[in-house]
């Protein structure tokens, strides 16, 4: 049995998690795992919204008073993949946000070449979100005991496509999420609202929706072909912006409820339909799943400076 962890009386008795600035008046440094390209055999799949997603996540963390995020991106093809954090459980500690291809309960690793002939496995390796979270328990990260560990996961389904209207076959149902009981003070918020729903919209449809979806960053004369953020990341950014404009402090549960409420409206009103022909998708969007094992209230403070 592991030795007990010493917890201060202030942290033990507090009804909320203590948010103590660590550096330059900011909270801890979040980490974004950006897996934007994954190979399925010889065929690469790329998340069109990845660049914009990272940009909005950085702005969101800044509004909440966190340090500039540390970003782990896909591999340098000339490097040894086994030395990279994406392939090492030990190096994946302290990560907060993952954006990649995958489904509920896991995300795919990039599946880079395994030989000089550019051969790749037909199916990429899966990384379980439950396994990732299990490495943050009191035994493995003793200095994180009774501190909140928040995991935001956005996975895009690699099989998402528009149906041929002559087929009208039923959509593919995602597998049910299987959760394994883990130690307290962890929260997993997993979205599978694929970026393709908004990135593949026609320009006229996208512009008609206005602020309902991300229109990209045009403030500096950006490329009109710039892709938009996935709806989950954009909604998260907008909800934090709205809460920051209303109050200085707010609870994480308020943020999650606000994001889900907005995504429910996006889905119910079928804003994800890509064009005037209303072509159906092979996979319909679903509301994100939240697995909450926090033992205290988590109050976030916006960075008004």
């Amino acid at each position: 049995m592991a030795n007990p962890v010493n917890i201060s009386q202030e942290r033990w008795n507090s009804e909320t998690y203590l948010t103590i600035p660590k550096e330059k008046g900011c909270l801890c440094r979040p980490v974004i795992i950006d897996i934007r390209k994954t190979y399925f055999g010889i065929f690469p799949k790329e998340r069109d919204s990845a660049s914009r997603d990272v940009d909005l996540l950085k702005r969101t963390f800044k509004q909440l008073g966190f340090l500039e995020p540390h970003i782990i991106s896909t591999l340098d093809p000339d490097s040894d993949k086994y030395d990279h954090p994406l392939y090492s459980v030990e190096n994946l500690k302290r990560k907060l946000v993952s954006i990649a291809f995958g489904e509920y309960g896991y995300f795919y690793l990039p599946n880079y070449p395994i030989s000089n002939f550019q051969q790749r496995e037909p199916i990429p390796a899966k990384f379980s979100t439950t396994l990732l979270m299990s490495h943050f328990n009191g035994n493995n990260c003793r200095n994180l005991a009774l501190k909140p560990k928040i995991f935001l996961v956005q996975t895009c389904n690699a099989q998402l496509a528009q149906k041929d209207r002559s087929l009208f076959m039923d959509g593919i149902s995602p597998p049910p999420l299987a959760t394994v009981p883990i130690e307290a003070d962890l929260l997993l918020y997993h979205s599978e609202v694929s970026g393709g729903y908004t990135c593949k919209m026609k320009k006229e449809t996208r512009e008609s929706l206005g602020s309902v979806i991300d229109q990209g960053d045009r403030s500096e004369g950006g490329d009109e072909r710039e892709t938009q953020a996935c709806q989950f990341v954009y909604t998260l950014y907008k909800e934090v912006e709205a809460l920051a404009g209303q109050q200085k402090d707010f609870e994480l549960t308020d943020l999650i409820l606000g994001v889900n409420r907005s995504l429910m409206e996006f889905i119910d009103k079928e804003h994800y339909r890509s064009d005037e022909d209303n072509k159906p998708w092979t996979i319909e969007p679903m509301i994100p799943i939240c697995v909450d094992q926090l033992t205290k209230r988590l109050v976030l403070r916006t960075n008004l400076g």
Side-chain angles (χ1 to χ4, degrees), residues 42-55:
I42 62 174
F43 302 104
K45 289 272 189 177
E46 188 161 0
R47 295 183 60 258
D48 294 329
S49 65
S51 178
R52 181 67 173 160
D53 288 343
V54 171
D55 178 51

Side-chain angles (χ1 to χ4, degrees), residues 106-279:
Y106 66 88
F107 56 89
Y108 287 119
L109 294 176
N111 198 22
Y112 275 89
I114 57 176
S115 76
N116 294 332
F117 299 99
Q118 301 293 298
Q119 296 177 350
R120 298 172 175 88
E121 297 291 343
I123 301 297
K126 298 177 181 178
F127 200 104
S128 164
T129 51
T130 300
L131 173 62
L132 174 62
M133 295 170 67
S134 70
H135 288 274
F136 289 78
N137 62 32
N139 289 331
N140 292 326
C141 295
R142 298 176 62 78
N143 62 332
L144 293 182
L146 210 59
K147 297 179 182 178
K149 282 78 71 177
I150 311 301
F151 299 81
L152 306 178
V153 179
Q154 164 62 41
T155 53
C156 295
N157 197 304
Q159 307 305 318
L160 179 70
Q162 287 180 277
K163 294 181 182 179
D164 185 327
R165 288 187 64 83
S166 64
L167 299 179
F168 288 101
M169 56 193 297
D170 291 336
I172 302 172
S173 299
L177 175 65
T179 57
V180 179
I182 53 178
E183 192 167 331
D185 305 308
L186 290 146
L187 183 142
L188 170 66
Y189 191 25
H190 190 158
S191 165
E192 204 184 13
V193 181
S194 295
Y197 293 122
T198 47
C199 290
K200 298 183 184 301
M201 280 185 178
K202 287 187 175 181
K203 179 181 177 181
E204 297 80 6
T205 307
R206 183 174 69 246
E207 291 180 347
S208 70
L209 290 173
S211 62
V212 172
I213 67 170
D214 180 40
Q215 298 293 331
D217 187 0
R218 306 285 181 249
S219 61
E220 298 180 1
D223 190 340
E224 285 293 323
R225 296 170 298 176
E226 178 188 359
T227 56
Q228 288 65 49
C230 68
Q231 193 63 20
F232 172 69
V233 172
Y234 173 69
T235 304
L236 179 71
Y237 167 74
K238 292 293 289 184
E239 288 297 325
V240 168
E241 190 175 53
L243 288 169
Q246 298 169 8
Q247 56 206 67
K248 186 177 180 180
D249 299 334
F250 57 89
E251 293 194 29
L252 178 64
T253 50
D254 294 333
L255 175 60
I256 291 174
L257 289 173
V259 170
N260 278 9
R261 182 173 56 248
S262 295
L263 288 175
M264 177 66 78
E265 182 177 2
F266 173 79
I267 294 171
D268 285 350
K269 293 186 177 180
E270 298 190 343
H271 289 316
Y272 57 91
R273 300 299 182 187
S274 63
D275 55 38
E276 61 272 15
D277 295 327
N278 200 30
K279 289 183 179 179

